[in-house]
Amino acid sequence: MELISGNRSSILFVCVCSCKHVIPHTVAPFLLSQSSRNLKICVKDLRTPHGVNLTVLLSNSVPLSLSLSASLVKFEDCQRSREVGFVSSDPNFSVRPDGTVYTEQEVVLTELAVQSPEMRLCEELKQKMKYKHNICSGVFPRRHQRGSSANGLRRQKRDWVIPPINVPENSRGPFPHMLVRIRSDQDKDVGIRYSITGAGADQPPSGIYNIDPISGNMFVTQPLDREERASFHLRAHAVDMNGNQVENPIDLYIYVIDMNDNRPEFQNQVYNGSVAEGSKPGSSVMQVTAADSDDSTTANGMVRYRILSQTPHSPIPNMFTINSETGDIVTVAAGLDREKVSQYTIIVQATDMEGNLNFGLSNTATALISITDINDNPPELTVRTFSGEVPENKVNVVVTNLTVVDRDQPHSPNWNAVYRIVSGDPSGHFTIRTNPITNEGMLTVVKPVDFEMNRAFMLTVVVSNQAHLASGIQSSLQSTAGVTISVQDVNEPPIFPVNPKMIRFEEGVPAGTTLTVFAAQDPDHFIHQIVRYSKLSDPANWLKINRTNGQITTMALLDRESIYVKNNVYEATFLAFDNGSPQASGTGTLQIYLIDVNDNAPVLVPQEAQVCERARPNSRVNITASDADADPNVGPFVFELPSFPASVRRNWTISRLSGDYAQLRLRIPYLEPGVYEIPIIVSDSGNPPLSNRSLIRVKVCPCDDNGDCSTTGAVAAAGLGTGAIIAILICIIILLSMVLLFVVWMKRREKERQAKPLLIDPEDDVRDNILKYDEEGGGEEDQDYDLSQLQQPESLEHIINKPTGVRRVDERPVIAESQYPVRPSLPHPGDIGDFINDGLRAADNDPTAPPYDSLLVFDYEGSGSTAGSVSSLNSTSSEDQDYDYLNDWGPRFKKLADLYGGGDDD
């Protein structure tokens, strides 16, 4: 079974070369060259877009003509010669001038003959042409099986062998388009049905390929896209009418020939790179990459790069170049200076077809190249000399600011300035701190300066960068400057030469004793000033100071044992001030160390003790002596009992246990219980010694078996006799009697107050009273109030039925009500004044109106208001009225009845 009908033959490919380059997809193991000049064959008229395959059919003895697998191609050599001679490289074959190929002898194509050297030549051409498809498969048939027969060699049936089928992508048709014809040599004997299977036929994506089951013609039904699928693997089947397999299935490999239908695409539209200023030519900057979806093994997918433009063109227009294959951008020339150009913008173009601008597709991207800073500019001080002034005795004061210029990257180690004082300040009075924002040097005083010692300073300052200068950059002379600092004289406070000053005196120094002269000195030598003194602190008020010369004198006795003395030292502070402007003052501390003298007699503790009435081993009192003085005016102490009264030594004895302790105990076996005051004389070791007679109250009481005083014994020992107890009881009785008398007096006064007659009826009590309204009861449930009493009565029945007597102030007399005018429903605006006057006149003549000003409702819409009159106090009527009824209104209107009713005062 063959692609082209005829005798069984081998298939060879002839490579057709152009004068400039090899046309793609033209590979063959046999190369034909021109016999005379050995020139390459040129293509004059090529109607297919991707090269030409020439097929030569070789048979054992029958010559076959040279045919084209694509469309018609005419050839001529590069010299435009019309006659071209061909020479075969295989002596078994010959090619005539008309292109006919003959076999010179009987040829048996064995596997060794096919695969070597022809297959090796095909593989070499495949690698040279950079083909990724297995174009050599199927170039030659499988080896023939050699058998024996009576006539010698016997030809064996071979399997189907179909070379790969190449179909260009994006074909415009018409469709369906025939690709190949599949035919079995048994179709003459039986009816054959052909079919194809595989992806693209009966499997997704199905319907791309189909085959005529009768003729075996296979078609492609639609345009192909190599970027979606680059190849198809189908299987062709041949069966008879009964479905029996006639031929073994044949593999069909269809390769989609790539077309240049995709532009290169950059991974980013903007690339960012950097290179240090001053870099040498050839320094790597960055890499840009573009991908092309076309076949990268062909020129369609081979991308090349080039730089279209550079902005700015400083120092030259072409500071950078790009590797056309890898996209690496490198520097071309020296002269990169960040201080002049900090960033370059480069437009990069990527073109396929190996960069052919006529046939290739292009795309562009932007590369931003930042020039990074190096320390190639040393800092420079703006002037060669700076000046400033500073007050003496001041610290942390900025004297002057040192300004500097640095063209490197701001706020970077290449820009940050570091200042140093190299001379003029051996004592370290000044330092220079860098302002991180302005990069200025702040010359600051860190150690007080003295005008009397140094009136001016001359400093030498050097400035450098935090980072070292780049190699080959020399430091500028302008990085050094001088600084002149003037010291200002200020009024300094007086200073005590020795502060604090310690002096030693014995305690007990009498008042008026001169202790020392505590004088201060004025450090302002160039100004004559007067120093005065005053006392600032004297806790015990023992001292005074002379205002003029600072002499210290005592005003009281100095006592070492005072609470104001700490560790034998008494401290007082004094103030010294001058008469400068402004006035300055200084303080000094005087410490007086007081030497102890024996001026305090010892005392005994405890002051009270308790012993049993009978002498027992534990019936004794331990006594301790203490002295406010210091050594050697303290112990060891001497303890003794006085000889008077004699009962002391007769009943008691004392013995010293140590220098500070003694023990008092009973001398006799039994002593009457009670409280005894025992005098004890104790003497210290001073020179001369001081003695003290101390009394100790000793309670003698009966004791139990444990040696503890019993309760009755303790009471008896406390000294409370019968007289004392009686006195206490009498006091209690007197106190109770006073309380009882007070209670009786209070009750009698309350009774008298209640029995005193009232001047007026409590109902008509008109005195002001305090009414408490904010008392909170138990809630609404316990408040059973008659709220109707708070409402205005609708009738006068309760007034008419009330007996004659004093009436309530909020009731009106029982008299016929006056007739008030009725306001018309639609009054004229001019009638309003007349209506008011009529109402006022009726109110003046109404005897039931209250005798005080009240609100008169002229037009009330409600349920019968009783406020039907206005007061006559403001009435303009001059008619006489009878106000005698005011006498019946109670005491509140008594005065008013006298005024208007013609009473006694009239």
Side-chain angles (χ1 to χ4, degrees):
M1 182 173 176
E2 304 175 59
L3 287 177
I4 300 177
S5 60
N7 296 328
R8 294 184 178 91
S9 62
S10 300
I11 300 175
L12 303 181
F13 289 96
V14 179
C15 179
V16 180
C17 302
S18 66
C19 297
K20 294 184 180 180
H21 59 277
V22 178
I23 299 176
H25 307 292
T26 55
V27 182
F30 293 97
L31 297 180
L32 302 181
S33 61
Q34 192 172 358
S35 61
S36 59
R37 293 181 294 275
N38 196 23
L39 299 177
K40 294 182 180 180
I41 300 174
C42 295
V43 179
K44 178 180 180 183
D45 185 8
L46 179 61
R47 297 183 182 178
T48 58
H50 293 287
V52 179
N53 290 333
L54 300 181
T55 304
V56 180
L57 302 181
L58 303 179
S59 64
N60 290 333
S61 59
V62 180
L64 300 178
S65 62
L66 187 67
S67 62
L68 299 178
S69 62
S71 59
L72 181 61
V73 178
K74 296 180 181 179
F75 298 97
E76 64 180 13
D77 64 358
C78 298
Q79 302 297 328
R80 303 293 180 179
S81 173
R82 293 295 180 184
E83 295 182 359
V84 179
F86 300 97
V87 177
S88 172
S89 60
D90 191 337
N92 294 324
F93 301 94
S94 63
V95 182
R96 294 185 179 182
D98 59 356
T100 306
V101 181
Y102 288 89
T103 56
E104 297 294 337
Q105 57 187 354
E106 184 179 352
V107 177
V108 178
L109 297 178
T110 63
E111 181 179 5
L112 179 63
V114 172
Q115 295 182 356
S116 144
E118 291 82 359
M119 285 296 294
R120 289 196 299 272
L121 179 59
C122 182
E123 292 293 337
E124 291 176 1
L125 290 174
K126 173 184 175 182
Q127 295 177 2
K128 183 176 181 181
M129 299 302 293
K130 299 180 180 180
Y131 272 83
K132 67 179 180 180
H133 305 309
N134 188 11
I135 61 174
C136 297
S137 63
V139 173
F140 299 100
R142 298 177 183 178
R143 64 179 181 176
H144 295 262
Q145 300 293 332
R146 182 175 298 179
S148 59
S149 64
N151 298 330
L153 297 176
R154 186 178 63 183
R155 186 179 182 187
Q156 300 293 331
K157 176 179 176 63
R158 58 184 176 84
D159 294 334
W160 295 5
V161 178
I162 298 178
I165 303 171
N166 296 325
V167 180
E169 66 172 334
N170 302 327
S171 175
R172 298 183 179 179
F175 294 103
H177 176 68
M178 179 179 175
L179 297 179
V180 68
R181 179 184 178 190
I182 300 175
R183 188 183 66 83
S184 174
D185 55 0
Q186 299 184 22
D187 59 353
K188 297 179 181 180
D189 300 331
V190 296
I192 303 296
R193 292 293 182 268
Y194 302 98
S195 64
I196 55 176
T197 60
D202 60 343
Q203 300 177 11
S206 58
I208 298 179
Y209 303 98
N210 58 28
I211 189 171
D212 188 338
I214 304 300
S215 64
N217 294 331
M218 191 176 75
F219 301 91
V220 59
T221 63
Q222 62 188 31
L224 302 181
D225 188 355
R226 191 202 67 85
E227 285 70 40
E228 293 183 2
R229 191 179 183 96
S231 64
F232 296 87
H233 179 200
L234 304 178
R235 295 179 68 87
H237 305 272
V239 297
D240 57 13
M241 295 299 181
N242 297 324
N244 298 321
Q245 179 176 318
V246 177
E247 301 277 359
N248 292 329
I250 184 173
D251 291 324
L252 299 176
Y253 294 95
I254 304 173
Y255 296 103
V256 181
I257 302 174
D258 183 48
M259 300 287 291
N260 190 19
D261 57 345
N262 291 277
R263 293 179 180 272
E265 296 292 339
F266 283 95
Q267 294 181 357
N268 303 310
Q269 285 300 315
V270 178
Y271 291 84
N272 292 285
S274 62
V275 63
E277 61 175 331
S279 297
K280 297 180 180 179
S283 300
S284 177
V285 178
M286 61 190 301
Q287 183 185 27
V288 296
T289 55
D292 196 320
S293 300
D294 293 325
D295 190 356
S296 60
T297 63
T298 65
N300 297 336
M302 295 182 181
V303 179
R304 298 296 181 263
Y305 304 92
R306 71 189 188 104
I307 294 177
L308 295 181
S309 64
Q310 168 192 311
T311 305
H313 295 172
S314 175
I316 59 175
N318 299 318
M319 287 296 296
F320 305 92
T321 186
I322 188 170
N323 188 307
S324 61
E325 295 184 2
T326 63
D328 291 322
I329 300 177
V330 297
T331 58
V332 176
L336 293 175
D337 190 352
R338 189 202 66 84
E339 287 72 38
K340 294 181 179 178
V341 179
S342 61
Q343 188 181 70
Y344 288 91
T345 301
I346 293 178
I347 305 300
V348 180
Q349 184 185 55
T351 306
D352 56 15
M353 295 299 293
E354 297 184 285
N356 191 320
L357 299 179
N358 295 326
F359 304 103
L361 302 178
S362 301
N363 213 335
T364 60
T366 302
L368 301 178
I369 303 176
S370 299
I371 309 302
T372 59
D373 183 52
I374 63 172
N375 194 12
D376 57 344
N377 293 281
E380 298 178 357
L381 293 165
T382 55
V383 295
R384 299 302 301 274
T385 302
F386 295 89
S387 61
E389 57 183 19
V390 58
E392 63 175 334
N393 301 323
K394 295 290 184 180
V395 294
N396 297 326
V397 176
V398 177
V399 180
T400 185
N401 289 327
L402 309 178
T403 55
V404 71
V405 175
D406 196 323
R407 293 180 295 171
D408 289 321
Q409 180 69 39
H411 307 289
S412 67
N414 300 330
W415 180 81
N416 296 336
V418 179
Y419 300 86
R420 292 182 297 113
I421 300 175
V422 296
S423 64
D425 185 23
S427 301
H429 292 282
F430 304 95
T431 188
I432 303 178
R433 302 184 179 93
T434 303
N435 188 322
I437 299 177
T438 62
N439 213 25
E440 294 180 351
M442 299 179 294
L443 183 61
T444 309
V445 181
V446 294
K447 185 177 179 181
V449 295
D450 190 356
F451 176 79
E452 285 70 28
M453 298 293 296
N454 294 294
R455 297 189 178 185
F457 291 87
M458 298 294 296
L459 308 180
T460 302
V461 177
V462 175
V463 62
S464 59
N465 284 128
Q466 183 178 351
H468 295 290
L469 285 174
S471 178
I473 305 299
Q474 300 295 329
S475 178
S476 174
L477 295 177
Q478 295 183 358
S479 61
T480 303
V483 182
T484 302
I485 302 174
S486 300
V487 180
Q488 296 177 340
D489 187 21
V490 297
N491 186 21
E492 299 178 77
I495 300 174
F496 290 90
V498 181
N499 192 14
K501 183 178 181 180
M502 174 73 76
I503 59 175
R504 298 173 64 89
F505 273 88
E506 288 186 353
E507 64 173 331
V509 174
T513 303
T514 299
L515 300 180
T516 185
V517 175
F518 196 29
Q521 299 176 358
D522 192 349
D524 296 317
H525 303 310
F526 301 98
I527 303 175
H528 179 68
Q529 297 180 139
I530 300 175
V531 180
R532 294 290 183 263
Y533 304 92
S534 64
K535 185 169 63 174
L536 190 61
S537 174
D538 184 12
N541 199 23
W542 288 344
L543 308 175
K544 67 178 180 179
I545 186 171
N546 188 291
R547 180 178 177 81
T548 303
N549 56 16
Q551 180 177 311
I552 306 297
T553 308
T554 61
M555 296 189 304
L557 191 69
L558 302 184
D559 186 7
R560 191 196 68 85
E561 289 73 36
S562 172
I563 60 174
Y564 302 106
V565 178
K566 307 297 181 183
N567 297 326
N568 301 332
V569 176
Y570 178 75
E571 283 190 358
T573 56
F574 299 91
L575 185 68
F577 53 92
D578 58 21
N579 60 344
S581 179
Q583 189 182 68
S585 61
T587 59
T589 301
L590 179 65
Q591 296 179 341
I592 305 174
Y593 186 88
L594 296 177
I595 303 172
D596 183 50
V597 297
N598 194 14
D599 57 347
N600 292 277
V603 295
L604 297 178
V605 291
Q607 299 295 325
E608 294 182 356
Q610 177 178 293
V611 297
C612 295
E613 61 182 352
R614 298 184 183 278
R616 294 186 181 186
N618 56 354
S619 296
R620 60 194 65 185
V621 178
N622 293 326
I623 301 172
T624 303
S626 62
D627 197 327
D629 293 324
D631 190 67
N633 299 320
V634 289
F637 300 98
V638 177
F639 303 89
E640 59 181 347
L641 296 175
S643 57
F644 180 84
S647 61
V648 176
R649 288 192 176 187
R650 183 175 63 249
N651 298 334
W652 302 91
T653 179
I654 191 170
S655 59
R656 190 175 71 174
L657 299 178
S658 64
D660 298 335
Y661 303 99
Q663 194 175 77
L664 178 68
R665 64 180 183 274
L666 283 174
R667 181 186 291 272
I668 60 178
Y670 175 80
L671 184 63
E672 184 72 20
V675 178
Y676 299 87
E677 292 184 351
I678 303 174
I680 299 177
I681 299 174
V682 58
S683 304
D684 58 20
S685 300
N687 186 19
L690 292 180
S691 300
N692 184 24
R693 181 185 176 96
S694 300
L695 293 176
I696 297 180
R697 290 172 54 88
V698 179
K699 300 177 183 179
V700 180
C701 61
C703 297
D704 54 15
D705 296 338
N706 296 327
D708 299 329
C709 287
S710 60
T711 306
T712 57
V715 173
L720 293 178
T722 305
I725 296 175
I726 293 175
I728 294 174
L729 292 176
I730 292 174
C731 291
I732 294 175
I733 292 173
I734 293 174
L735 181 61
L736 293 176
S737 300
M738 293 176 63
V739 173
L740 182 58
L741 291 175
F742 178 77
V743 173
V744 172
W745 177 77
M746 290 295 296
K747 287 185 174 295
R748 177 177 294 179
R749 184 177 179 185
E750 179 68 18
K751 185 176 181 181
E752 292 177 353
R753 187 180 66 83
Q754 294 179 357
K756 186 178 180 179
L758 297 177
L759 298 177
I760 60 176
D761 188 14
E763 183 180 0
D764 298 321
D765 188 4
V766 296
R767 292 175 298 175
D768 293 336
N769 294 291
I770 298 178
L771 302 179
K772 189 173 183 180
Y773 295 99
D774 58 350
E775 292 183 352
E776 296 181 1
E780 296 179 355
E781 295 181 356
D782 63 347
Q783 296 177 1
D784 188 10
Y785 299 138
D786 184 10
L787 299 180
S788 63
Q789 300 298 326
L790 303 178
Q791 300 176 354
Q792 197 170 24
E794 297 292 339
S795 64
L796 300 178
E797 294 183 15
H798 69 288
I799 300 177
I800 298 174
N801 298 328
K802 186 174 182 179
T804 305
V806 179
R807 296 181 179 275
R808 292 169 53 109
V809 295
D810 57 350
E811 295 180 355
R812 58 184 177 179
V814 183
I815 301 174
E817 296 182 1
S818 301
Q819 295 298 324
Y820 286 85
V822 179
R823 183 179 178 183
S825 59
L826 296 174
H828 190 272
D831 297 335
I832 295 177
D834 297 337
F835 174 77
I836 294 176
N837 292 329
D838 295 339
L840 181 59
R841 188 178 303 108
D844 291 339
N845 298 324
D846 186 5
T848 63
Y852 48 83
D853 289 341
S854 61
L855 177 64
L856 177 62
V857 179
F858 293 96
D859 192 4
Y860 175 76
E861 296 179 1
S863 59
S865 174
T866 58
S869 64
V870 297
S871 175
S872 61
L873 297 179
N874 293 329
S875 175
T876 57
S877 175
S878 60
E879 298 179 359
D880 294 335
Q881 265 189 322
D882 184 8
Y883 294 98
D884 292 337
Y885 60 86
L886 294 176
N887 295 320
D888 299 331
W889 282 17
R892 294 188 179 183
F893 299 94
K894 178 64 176 174
K895 186 66 175 177
L896 192 60
D898 295 339
L899 293 176
Y900 288 89
D904 297 338
D905 296 337
D906 192 3

